[in-house]
Amino acid sequence: MAQLTGDVEKHTALYVEAFNSGDADAVNAMYTEDAVAVWEPGVPLTGRARIESVEQWLAAKPKMTATPRHSFVTGDTALLIVDWKIDTTDANGEPEQLTGVGVDVLRLGEDGNWRYAIDDPFGEK
Amino acid sequence: MAFTVDIDFDNPDLTADTDLQNEIFLQVFNSGDGELFDKLYRDDAISNFSGEPLTGEARLAFFKEFLATKPQLQAEVTHSYVAGDVALIGVHFVIDGTDSEGKPMHLEGNCTDVLRRGTDGRWLMAVDRPVAGSLLPE
């Protein structure tokens, strides 16, 4: 079940909850229709390809923790800088830990809820 | 200075073209006119150039003060993602000038910019954030 919020500070926590539940539909509901995600550095995905990449990622049942470091919120657009960590398994089934500093751009929809417009998990190196 | 880019400061538009956005941003910054530079930002935009998030009058006051000595900015776009009416642009920048005491100033770093297209189709700055934290000397 997708959970959206009008409080941008809560968005990251709800996203982590949806991600860790393994519910790809719930995760995808937290993106705008024309959102861009760059989960593989240098390879921006949008539309159907982005939606399917979420499904592929969640198949390995990864667990994420995320702590927002900075948030810059204007009327209808926000920039969040987020420290995150994902415990997952690699292609050989071995445990793998990924970490990064995400640069997330959110848009406030007409329904009063924030959604990811741009999700760049390795946006700050 | 004369602008070689086509910009109407009554209806400023950074355009949908990333390279042109960068060129307009550079030329207006380098003109030293903080009031014109501030017009490239949405009313509620947040600028972190000073090292703290500024908007409205405080943002304008900072731009006027910081650009008064005409520091010269060079910037190269490192990446750009556009999602409908919002864009995330990464740039590598170099700024050379003199500080308020007349000493040479050299700043270099990366900056993340969020741009928004308004309902009238014009693109403007919504958030800037130098990754180093500030454009001011340490």
Side-chain angles (χ1 to χ4, degrees):
Chain A
M1 184 59 199
Q3 291 193 82
L4 295 169
T5 178
D7 179 354
V8 74
E9 304 282 341
K10 287 186 185 150
H11 185 273
T12 302
L14 289 173
Y15 183 80
V16 169
E17 205 178 302
F19 189 94
N20 290 344
S21 75
D23 185 341
D25 290 342
V27 170
N28 277 319
M30 301 186 79
Y31 289 84
T32 64
E33 210 171 307
D34 39 22
V36 177
V38 200
W39 289 14
E40 186 183 336
V43 186
L45 296 179
T46 188
R48 179 49 46 192
R50 189 199 60 69
I51 289 169
E52 284 172 0
S53 84
V54 170
E55 291 163 2
Q56 284 164 17
W57 264 84
L58 295 189
K61 304 205 182 312
K63 298 296 176 203
M64 176 193 287
T65 57
T67 312
R69 192 197 294 183
H70 299 294
S71 65
F72 306 105
V73 186
T74 73
D76 58 13
T77 308
L79 173 68
L80 303 187
I81 309 298
V82 180
D83 292 303
W84 61 265
K85 191 168 69 181
I86 294 176
D87 286 297
T88 186
T89 48
D90 67 16
N92 300 319
E94 298 295 322
E96 181 181 28
Q97 187 173 75
L98 305 170
T99 61
V101 182
V103 174
D104 300 332
V105 178
L106 287 84
R107 281 280 285 115
L108 186 65
E110 281 176 12
D111 64 353
N113 289 312
W114 289 95
R115 289 179 183 80
Y116 286 119
I118 300 163
D119 174 14
D120 188 5
F122 301 98
E124 188 168 312
K125 289 169 217 76
Chain B
M1 72 171 259
F3 294 111
T4 60
V5 287
D6 183 19
I7 178 145
D8 169 9
F9 286 103
D10 291 328
N11 289 290
D13 180 8
L14 284 164
T15 80
D17 182 305
T18 307
D19 293 327
L20 188 52
Q21 282 164 8
N22 192 42
E23 186 58 30
I24 294 170
F25 197 79
L26 289 177
Q27 288 199 13
V28 182
F29 185 101
N30 291 340
S31 76
D33 189 326
E35 210 158 321
L36 290 185
F37 186 67
D38 191 67
K39 289 179 186 287
L40 303 180
Y41 286 70
R42 301 179 94 199
D43 287 346
D44 65 356
I46 298 171
S47 171
N48 290 283
F49 281 2
S50 69
E52 56 179 326
L54 298 180
T55 191
E57 287 299 314
R59 187 189 67 215
L60 172 62
F62 173 76
F63 287 158
K64 284 165 86 168
E65 188 190 337
F66 186 60
L67 296 188
T69 58
K70 289 202 180 190
Q72 294 298 297
L73 169 69
Q74 299 171 67
E76 231 172 80
V77 176
T78 56
H79 57 276
S80 155
Y81 306 117
V82 182
D85 62 6
V86 61
L88 176 70
I89 316 287
V91 300
H92 182 78
F93 68 84
V94 178
I95 294 176
D96 284 293
T98 49
D99 66 16
S100 50
E101 290 165 5
K103 292 188 191 133
M105 172 179 78
H106 177 84
L107 305 164
E108 200 168 335
N110 293 299
C111 189
T112 298
D113 297 329
V114 178
L115 280 76
R116 278 272 286 114
R117 186 184 64 215
T119 47
D120 60 2
R122 293 185 297 121
W123 286 90
L124 291 170
M125 294 286 289
V127 183
D128 68 46
R129 175 180 175 271
V131 175
S134 166
L135 290 191
L136 300 180
E138 293 289 311

